[in-house]
Amino acid sequence: MPAWKVFEQAEPEFAGRVRRLFDAGRHKTIATLRADGSPRISGIECEFTDGDLRFGSMTGARKGADLERDPRFALHGPTFHPEEGKERDWPGEAKITGRAIPAGPVATAESDEQPDGQMFVADITEVVITGLNAEATKLVVESWTPHRGRRTVERD
């Protein structure tokens, strides 16, 4: 599975729009799988650094334990509802799915001895932008996977 930079090289314009949607707000939502297989939704922050999509989990957080046990995740960027009468201005929303690969401990300057959590790097399986067409009359779902490439579907 590819790192963010592989997706960025394959689809630079699409990747730029995804990144702008993710950077539009600080807080994102991540879905992980609990030990019993049921879903868990958690707030999270992420960053695009050195060609990678990275996110962390604080020591003792359930999402980190979920990812260590089953690395599959779905990450949803900040959401903004289309304003009535201004639907054409809605930028849409972005989602990224994949597997979280442990990338080492996270420590703050105050705590050099004890790690404050675990950092993960995303191996990406799919990237999606959901938005509206230019007339704001149809839902447009743009997606990319490493095996299929890019696809666009319009729905009424």
Side-chain angles (χ1 to χ4, degrees), residues 1-122:
M1 285 173 258
W4 176 259
K5 67 182 168 189
V6 172
F7 166 58
E8 214 169 26
Q9 290 167 352
E11 292 288 342
E13 184 274 333
F14 188 44
R17 288 190 293 130
V18 170
R19 187 164 177 175
R20 283 190 297 280
L21 288 167
F22 265 82
D23 289 345
R26 183 176 179 179
H27 301 286
K28 287 74 168 167
T29 305
I30 191 168
T32 58
L33 295 169
R34 299 172 191 250
D36 67 2
S38 63
R40 182 190 316 272
I41 299 290
S42 306
I44 198 164
E45 296 176 22
C46 67
E47 63 184 10
F48 298 91
T49 304
D50 299 327
D52 287 324
L53 169 58
R54 296 176 172 265
F55 48 86
S57 179
M58 293 173 31
T59 299
R62 300 309 318 146
K63 67 184 159 204
D66 290 348
L67 291 170
E68 288 177 6
R69 183 183 51 264
D70 185 329
R72 293 176 294 172
F73 72 89
L75 183 63
H76 197 288
T79 58
F80 306 95
H81 191 74
E83 289 185 47
E84 190 172 332
K86 296 182 178 180
E87 289 86 356
R88 291 179 187 191
D89 298 334
W90 182 52
E93 57 189 37
K95 298 167 275 244
I96 299 170
T97 60
R99 295 185 181 275
I101 307 303
V106 176
T108 62
E110 300 88 39
S111 169
D112 290 331
E113 295 177 21
Q114 283 284 30
D116 289 336
Q118 174 72 38
M119 182 63 70
F120 296 92
V121 172

